[in-house]
């Protein structure tokens, strides 16, 4: 199996409720190593850039506003098939559809406030990692 890197974000709804440690523990318990991590805040410009794929959707502005509403934790995760593994641990985007034992099933408040984001492909992982981290900030 391939060792991969993926991007992970703990969203404002989860940091507000002090769930960072619990979420990180779930990631690590499932074989994902946190090799870079930082607490930060998205600016409106950064949120618009990060979610540009959704710019034509009706929820775009609401999503950007939410993502700027409080601190986030951005991370680089490493492990076997890290992209897929992280998505399994996160659970379905809609917490009502998420499997028991996933982050979103346990912690999400709603579809928008679903506690975490994770890259959906290796290509997007690289793009998202590069938006938040330099090579010097990532330690295997």
């Amino acid at each position: 199996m391939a060792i991969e890197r993926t991007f992970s974000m703990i969203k404002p709804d989860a940091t507000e409720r002090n769930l960072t440690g619990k979420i990180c523990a779930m990631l690590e318990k499932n074989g994902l190593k946190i090799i870079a991590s930082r607490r930060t805040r998205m600016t409106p410009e950064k949120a618009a850039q990060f979610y540009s794929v959704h710019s034509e959707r009706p929820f775009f502005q609401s999503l950007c506003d939410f993502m700027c509403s409080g601190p986030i934790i951005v991370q680089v995760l490493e492990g076997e098939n890290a992209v897929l593994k992280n998505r399994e641990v996160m659970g379905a985007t809609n917490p009502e559809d998420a499997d028991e034992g996933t982050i979103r099933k346990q912690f999400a408040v709603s579809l928008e406030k679903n506690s975490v984001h994770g890259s959906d492909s290796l290509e997007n992982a690289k793009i998202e990692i590069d938006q938040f981290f330099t090579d010097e900030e990532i330690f295997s």
Side-chain angles (χ1 to χ4, degrees):
M1 295 202 179
I3 299 296
E4 299 174 346
R5 288 182 177 175
T6 192
F7 179 77
S8 174
M9 180 190 308
I10 302 174
K11 295 181 178 181
D13 63 292
T15 61
E16 178 184 349
R17 293 177 291 139
N18 295 315
L19 297 174
T20 301
K22 290 178 182 178
I23 291 171
C24 290
M26 289 177 74
L27 295 169
E28 292 177 330
K29 179 183 173 191
N30 282 278
L32 293 165
K33 183 178 177 183
I34 300 168
I35 61 171
S37 183
R38 181 173 63 252
R39 185 178 185 94
T40 189
R41 219 180 237 271
M42 273 201 183
T43 64
E45 297 78 21
K46 188 87 160 181
Q49 175 191 11
F50 190 81
Y51 288 106
S52 63
V53 67
H54 300 303
S55 64
E56 299 301 318
R57 299 209 174 159
F59 61 82
F60 176 72
Q61 190 58 55
S62 173
L63 176 60
C64 289
D65 291 345
F66 164 63
M67 292 306 297
C68 296
S69 70
I72 59 172
I73 308 295
V74 292
Q75 300 176 314
V76 180
L77 307 178
E78 186 175 75
E80 289 186 10
N81 297 310
V83 172
L84 180 60
K85 176 55 74 177
N86 186 41
R87 297 198 61 80
E88 288 173 0
V89 175
M90 288 189 312
T93 302
N94 185 339
E96 292 179 13
D97 299 332
D99 291 337
E100 290 297 328
T102 62
I103 293 169
R104 288 177 173 150
K105 189 67 165 187
Q106 287 188 36
F107 302 124
V109 175
S110 66
L111 179 60
E112 183 176 81
K113 296 180 178 180
N114 62 12
S115 299
V116 289
H117 164 86
S119 302
D120 62 1
S121 68
L122 282 173
E123 296 77 24
N124 285 337
K126 171 111 176 77
I127 292 166
E128 292 174 351
I129 289 167
D130 289 347
Q131 287 181 13
F132 287 93
F133 295 97
T134 64
D135 289 342
E136 293 80 24
E137 296 173 305
I138 302 171
F139 302 92
S140 288

